[in-house]
Amino acid sequence: MERSQAKGGGPTMEGSPGKEGDPSPPDPVPPAPVSRRLPGGLGSAEALAALGAMGRRLLWLLPVYLAGRAGLSVGFVVAGVALYLGWRGRRRSKEQSLRAAGLVLGDEEAAVSATALGRSLGQSQSQLPAWVSFPDVEKAEWLNKILAQAWPFFGQYMEKLLVENIAPSIRASNTHLQTFTFSKIDMGEKPLRVIGVKVHTGLNKKQILLDLNISYAGDVQIDVEVKKFFCKAGVKGMQLHGMLRVILEPLIGNVPIVGALTMFFIRRPTLDINWTGMTNLLDIPGLSSLSDTMIMDSIASFLVLPNRLLIPLVPDLHEAAQLRSPIPRGIVRVYLMEAKDLQSKDKYIKGMIEGKSDPYAVVRVGTQVFTSKVIDENLNPKWNEMYEFIVHEVPGQELEVELFDKDPDQDDFLGRMKLDFGEVMQARVLEEWFPLQDGGRARVHLRLEWHTLMSDTSKLDQVLQWNKTLSTKPEPPSAAILVVYLDRAQELPLKKSSKEPNPMVQLSVHDVTRESKVVYNTVSPIWDDAFRFFLQDPTAEDIDIQVKDDNRQTTLGSLTIHLSRLLNADDLTLDQWFQLENSGPNSRIYMKVVMRILYLDAPEVCIKTRPCPPGQLDVIESANLGSSVDQPPRPTKASPDAEFGTESVIRIHLLEAENLIAKDNFMGGMIKGKSDPYVKVRLGGQKFRSRVIKEDLNPRWSEIYEVVVSDIPGQEVEFDLYDKDVDKDDFLGRCKIPLRQVLSSKFVDEWLPLEDVKSGRLHVKLECLPPTYSAAELEQVLIVNSLIQTPKSEELSSALLSVFLDRAADLPMRKGSKPPSPFVSLSVRGISYKTKVSSQTADPVWDEAFSFLIKKPHAESLELQVKDDGHVLGSLSLPLTQLLVAEGLVLDQWFQLNNASPTTQILMRVQLGLLVSQHSGVEAFHAVMGEDNEESSLKGSETELYIQEDGDSRSMQELRQRMPHANRSDEWSWSFLPERDRQRLLFINLELSDSPLGQLHLTVWYNMDARKLIAIIHACRNLKSSAKDIPDPYVSLILLPDKSRVTKRKTAVRKKTLNPEFNEKFEWDLTLEEAQRRKLEAYIKNSISFMSRGEPIGKVHIDLSQKDLTQGAAQWYDLKDDKASS
């Protein structure tokens, strides 16, 4: 036996050919059987594989043969090949997308790192987890671990659900599907993942609201079979991505604390499915998107707003119906008014001739969609249409407006905009021009109104009366909303064949009909549905209810409810059983019917009168109007858009931070250091960077930045903190404030917690400064700015200059009498802008607006040059003092250009708005001056008497109107006045001073933000000196009781004057409590020589404990005699 046994092999049978009596070789290789070996050494397996490959290739020719056999064109073969290639490309795209999503979900951190280093995995930014892009979204790894552990058991549940519940329902729904079965159900090994959680707090104390960013890229495999037709189909792999909102409500005082879970998608999720079997056809281009859309529609029908999935956690939950279909939060009325500057999409002769567009709009809120009418060949269409949307979730639900160009084949996209309804609810009425994303310069004009739902009829008559004044298209405005909760019915009649019916309900209000789902084979159906209707006049409308069999032919009962019954019901609600008519004797239906009145809860709403749009200009009449040789009349005024001059200035006070993280560690972290923090500030496309504070975890910056902003939704003021290092700066946290919050409240003073770090907060103040068109405020603005100015910040702006360039006329021609291609360069104090180039015209129209921040309106000018390819065609220098003396601080006219012909002019509107701070902590100057004592009143009388005696009271009265504080002698307050008026005003001020030694003009103020005591020496007047010559005065300050050099301050010397101007500011680093214990002495001295001390002229002694230092007020102080030198 040992000799007949191959090593490592089994026994060899006796009698085998070539085996008898032969010794076994040491390492025999068993020969292949003759039956499996072909001539030439080719095995049967390889031969079968080769024949199979050849057969498959020959199979490709089968369609060609069949097409020729049937006499069909080759085009059918080409179309078939194209469909196959499209199916194959779509299939590969889905598989690649599934693999990429699986890689991201498999290891989020590795995917994020790879993307940051160059997107090595191939995923885009949008595929990354939400916690990467949104700091308020948190990771939920603990929840993903629970899902991974429970996923196999979820698969068991799904298998049981599909086999025991879903399959019988499908078989019962149609006789052709009686052999329908699930042949394979495998939920795979990749579970659903939650890649981000956002918790909304403070909205409602009786609920917990979560937004789960879910992503499923699974290897699920579900196969179905209809044995009767030998049909197999299925799914192998699926992706589902979306934001799922979960509401834990109501919160109760017993276990399990939460009464129910409500889940829904606020917006439709994205879906991608890999089909198998017969459903492979659904991957053909065209059918693929159609099939996915149909499936998404079915998902939306029960899990996308307004539909919700309710999971009760306690028995007999009374609020189940309200939780499943709650009363809407409100109604938003959207007025689609017009659009501007749309892109031209209609081109002819391969783009050589550019046409226009035929725009229409699609207005969408979740599953609610409206489409506007088409405006033919217009890039500035006007629709003037109104739509009403039901809003369920705020924040969360968004308005989306998409514009398209109507074409015979495929409509071209023109742009879109989105707006969260939270902004509309806060503003109540919002009317704006919204820029369109991906639409170039295009904008759409919308008016949105938030209508509150009232549960009483107190405002119904007012609403009905108001709606009569509105003329809206395509539908008239609604006055109320009706919500019908359809619960159940009892003892419905049987069919004529004595079979149980499949009842459904049709509900109709006016010409709108809704249908419930069908409940099969029962006379006591439970629908548990909700329906909503808009009512135009609830006093005169009815709701008609028909209970029918599912074929819609047999009526099982009917009911009509006059809605006027609800107007007299408590809470405008009927919650009861209703007896059905034309039905069985005991047939009844249970419903809850709720009405709510739509009320615009806002102040009196008025639409601002808008200037004429470009092309509809005010014109001067011509005596020869109608003559064929007349030139078209030119406008007399500029025609800016409605948004012109509506900008505001946001003043950002970056104050301090606390409890920052220490990033500077030494010796491997054994010695902990501090940080060198600085801040990056971003708003409206502008960026600022603070100075670095060395080694301080509680730094103070006290810096101020200014930004010109428009009220465009979605903007935020962002603060990013970093630790300055030699190599890469370390991140210390970030925070942000919505710009809309600052614009609405006008002032924000908050400590903002830093996000994405363990500790730290930032103290900022933000103030909105809308322009004020009154020159009387200029003095106050300049004083306040000088007080709050910080050493490390730029000089604060006192005004906003808005310039609208309309057009020019009669520009000079180029050499050779060719028209120029002009543009305009504008500049103020080194800040410059340029308009677009108007091609080859001597009468260009620019229609552009610009804004400048102005530091000193009395000393700055607007410089303007009209240029053509580097050559100046004309220039203009406009001193802003001309605006200060103009009515309303506005000039709207034609301006003559310098260095050009007499007829070369430019039309523009220039307006100046002063930036008056209402939250600076500085007392208004005019308020202080209004509280003068009797002596001040007497001085005012003397002023009036002097003017009357002069004999030119009208001129001085105008002067006082322009300069209300006539007792100021600051040069910057007078610089824009005529020389004669300046001399007279100076003479009046000198006459008002009755102090024998003169007076000192001084401001003392404590800056709470900077924690500094500030003194501003403005000026002196009517000084008296014992010297024969006119003195060279200066002011010396001492902060008592400390007379050291640390507290001493001194102004510059003014030469040969009794009325010196200083305007110098001095600071001391003191706490408010310490400053109130001090005394300030100001010595006015005459500078005699470099080596000697100054000769005393007088002094002022101020006890700071007797002054309110938090209110900075400029005041004239009488000088006292003091012979002592300090």
Side-chain angles (χ1 to χ4, degrees), residues 882-1093:
Q882 294 187 23
L883 289 168
L884 290 173
V885 298
E887 183 177 357
L889 307 187
V890 176
L891 292 176
D892 191 348
Q893 64 189 54
W894 288 93
F895 294 86
Q896 177 69 42
L897 292 181
N898 300 323
N899 305 318
S901 66
T903 58
T904 302
Q905 295 179 315
I906 188 168
L907 176 61
M908 63 180 181
R909 178 184 176 95
V910 187
Q911 65 184 39
L912 188 69
L914 301 185
L915 304 178
V916 182
S917 174
Q918 304 294 335
H919 302 275
S920 62
V922 183
E923 183 178 353
F925 181 75
H926 57 78
V928 176
M929 298 307 299
E931 298 175 358
D932 285 344
N933 51 25
E934 296 179 0
E935 182 181 359
S936 300
S937 301
L938 179 60
K939 294 175 182 178
S941 301
E942 293 174 359
T943 306
E944 197 68 28
L945 178 62
Y946 177 84
I947 294 171
Q948 293 292 336
E949 291 175 353
D950 181 77
D952 190 8
S953 61
R954 185 178 63 84
S955 175
M956 285 305 298
Q957 182 177 2
E958 181 181 359
L959 176 62
R960 288 197 308 273
Q961 290 175 351
R962 301 260 174 92
M963 281 298 303
H965 314 308
N967 58 339
R968 285 293 309 273
S969 63
D970 296 340
E971 184 178 357
W972 50 260
S973 300
W974 301 359
S975 59
F976 61 90
L977 298 177
E979 181 65 23
R980 175 173 172 269
D981 288 342
R982 290 178 61 189
Q983 294 298 329
R984 293 176 61 190
L985 185 57
L986 177 61
F987 184 69
I988 292 170
N989 284 330
L990 297 181
E991 290 295 317
L992 290 178
S993 176
D994 55 2
S995 174
L997 300 178
Q999 291 182 313
L1000 171 66
H1001 198 197
L1002 173 67
T1003 296
V1004 182
W1005 178 58
Y1006 188 82
N1007 189 330
M1008 299 294 292
D1009 294 335
R1011 299 181 185 176
K1012 293 181 179 181
L1013 178 66
I1014 297 174
I1016 300 180
I1017 307 297
H1018 298 289
C1020 296
R1021 65 182 180 186
N1022 205 18
L1023 296 179
K1024 301 295 189 296
S1025 176
S1026 58
K1028 295 180 180 180
D1029 298 329
I1030 298 177
D1032 299 333
Y1034 69 93
V1035 180
S1036 175
L1037 297 173
I1038 301 177
L1039 197 60
L1040 300 177
D1042 186 3
K1043 291 188 177 183
S1044 66
R1045 298 178 61 89
V1046 178
T1047 64
K1048 288 185 178 182
R1049 305 287 189 271
K1050 189 175 72 170
T1051 69
V1053 176
R1054 297 293 183 260
K1055 295 293 185 179
K1056 307 299 181 183
T1057 177
L1058 296 175
N1059 301 282
E1061 296 277 344
F1062 297 103
N1063 292 322
E1064 296 186 36
K1065 182 170 72 171
F1066 305 98
E1067 298 177 347
W1068 292 268
D1069 290 323
L1070 299 171
T1071 64
L1072 177 59
E1073 293 76 12
E1074 186 178 358
Q1076 289 173 335
R1077 294 194 296 266
R1078 299 295 188 102
K1079 295 178 177 60
L1080 181 66
E1081 284 193 349
Y1083 292 88
I1084 295 83
K1085 300 180 180 182
N1086 176 22
S1087 178
I1088 300 175
S1089 66
F1090 174 75
M1091 298 298 295
S1092 62
R1093 292 187 175 184

Side-chain angles (χ1 to χ4, degrees), residues 616 642 707 1085:
Q616 302 177 5
V707 184
K1085 300 180 180 182

